[in-house]
Amino acid sequence: MILTSDYDYYLPEELIAQTPLLNRSESRLMVLNKENRTVNHKHFSDIIDYLDENDVLVLNDTKVIPARIYGHKEDTNALIELLLLKDEGNNIWQTLAKPQRRVKIGSFISFGDGRLKARCIEKEDMGICRFELIYDGILVEILDSLGEMPLPPYIHEKLENKDRYQTVYAKNPGSAAAPTAGLHFTPELLERIKAKGVELIYVTLHVGLGTFRPVEAEDLTNHVMHSEYYEISEDAANRLNEAKRNGKRIVSVGTTSTRTLESAYDNGFKAETKETSIFIYPGYKFKAVDALITNFHLPKSTLIMLVSALAGREFILDAYNEAVEEKYRFFSFGDAMLIE
């Protein structure tokens, strides 16, 4: 048995970052060397000193959609909140509905004076419902006018500029949460990294329930990950395979890029469009990723388990405790870590 409680740590609430820094790349960077177990304290702009022409930087170019929408049930006028998690095709979406008990199969919910309607077609456990969305026009444009950016529940401040919950290279709409490790990059920093000879490769994973659903099982091996959509293009797969052949280091930006690369690797990277429910925790042997840029993750989350698989549980928890002592900023708008 691997206990979920073994991945807990103490975090004072005041260290949970509520707003992004004015300059993305001025966040702090904790550098962990997993071989010699050293910890260094830097700023994110110093990441360039840890990258060279022998590295490939892999980034997730998903784009967060304004996926939180508020509407009213047509029969009772009850207020219902939907968080759109995953587009399953044919206008069917997996959602989190609040309060789910008020939603019945067949219920119609109206948003924005009826510009968007949703009909419940299925209910599952833990608040999950499937809805058919009914609208005229382009859904992304409708959501832009009706929806809110789906900030995590631990962020209580209003986000003044919604682009700040978006990476500067976000391109493919579909995420219900940002791949937050990428929030630290600016266009200028990416250009400097490229000028150093580092190859940049983009993959896509649309962040959904799999990434942020808490682990409730006492034995973490009993936790079931929800699947998330990912895509690796032919060009990206070819360049990744060439990098591997040439002995280059694969540096993944974020846990979502990591899960994409590990899902798509089988004696080489495959170009594919698939769903992944990969759950990476200690004992897992990494096949694709050599180093990781990531944020600080919630206690007992699948993400702290993933970084523990790469660097070792005790080393990670010691580093997190040091980050608390050094007053690092935690979670989505917080500081970053490089595990190399």
Side-chain angles (χ1 to χ4, degrees), residues 319-340:
Y320 270 57
N321 289 332
E322 187 168 333
V324 169
E325 286 171 20
E326 296 289 332
K327 303 226 171 338
Y328 273 66
R329 301 167 79 246
F330 277 69
F331 307 160
S332 295
F333 288 140
D335 295 316
M337 174 185 279
L338 167 64
I339 302 171
E340 60 165 6

Side-chain angles (χ1 to χ4, degrees), residues 66-95:
R68 181 168 280 127
I69 51 177
Y70 297 90
H72 291 88
K73 272 184 73 184
E74 292 194 339
D75 54 354
T76 65
N77 209 36
L79 179 66
I80 304 291
E81 173 193 326
L82 291 190
L83 176 60
L84 303 179
L85 291 173
K86 184 160 64 172
D87 180 359
E88 298 187 340
N90 299 319
N91 289 323
I92 306 299
W93 281 76
Q94 181 194 75
T95 76

Side-chain angles (χ1 to χ4, degrees), residues 135-188:
Y135 56 92
D136 289 321
I138 298 166
L139 181 60
V140 171
E141 292 178 0
I142 294 169
L143 292 176
D144 272 339
S145 64
L146 296 181
E148 291 181 1
M149 291 303 261
L151 294 180
Y154 50 76
I155 293 177
H156 309 299
E157 298 276 333
K158 186 170 173 58
L159 183 64
E160 296 302 330
N161 176 1
K162 65 182 183 183
D163 286 343
R164 292 308 309 274
Y165 193 59
Q166 207 80 270
T167 63
V168 296
Y169 48 81
K171 182 175 149 190
N172 294 313
S175 270
T180 53
L183 295 179
H184 305 281
F185 288 95
T186 63
E188 297 76 23

Side-chain angles (χ1 to χ4, degrees), residues 98-162:
K98 282 189 192 172
Q100 192 197 38
R101 62 188 165 74
R102 291 192 176 274
V103 177
K104 307 283 187 284
I105 291 175
S107 290
F108 277 89
I109 302 163
S110 180
F111 305 89
D113 297 326
R115 284 181 62 202
L116 174 65
K117 294 190 177 189
R119 180 175 68 91
C120 181
I121 59 173
E122 189 179 348
K123 291 180 71 173
E124 293 184 14
D125 294 337
M126 299 186 290
I128 295 174
C129 295
R130 279 179 177 74
F131 280 88
E132 177 191 9
L133 300 189
I134 303 155
Y135 56 92
D136 289 321
I138 298 166
L139 181 60
V140 171
E141 292 178 0
I142 294 169
L143 292 176
D144 272 339
S145 64
L146 296 181
E148 291 181 1
M149 291 303 261
L151 294 180
Y154 50 76
I155 293 177
H156 309 299
E157 298 276 333
K158 186 170 173 58
L159 183 64
E160 296 302 330
N161 176 1
K162 65 182 183 183

Side-chain angles (χ1 to χ4, degrees), residues 8 21 34-35 38 46 58 64 194 242 286 291 323:
D8 200 2
L21 294 180
K34 59 183 189 286
E35 299 306 320
T38 57
D46 298 324
V58 183
V64 186
K194 277 199 285 191
E242 187 177 353
F286 285 83

Side-chain angles (χ1 to χ4, degrees), residues 230-244:
Y230 74 88
E231 189 175 320
I232 295 186
S233 69
E234 196 80 47
D235 176 63
N238 290 340
R239 289 165 63 203
L240 283 162
N241 284 324
E242 187 177 353
K244 274 285 190 197

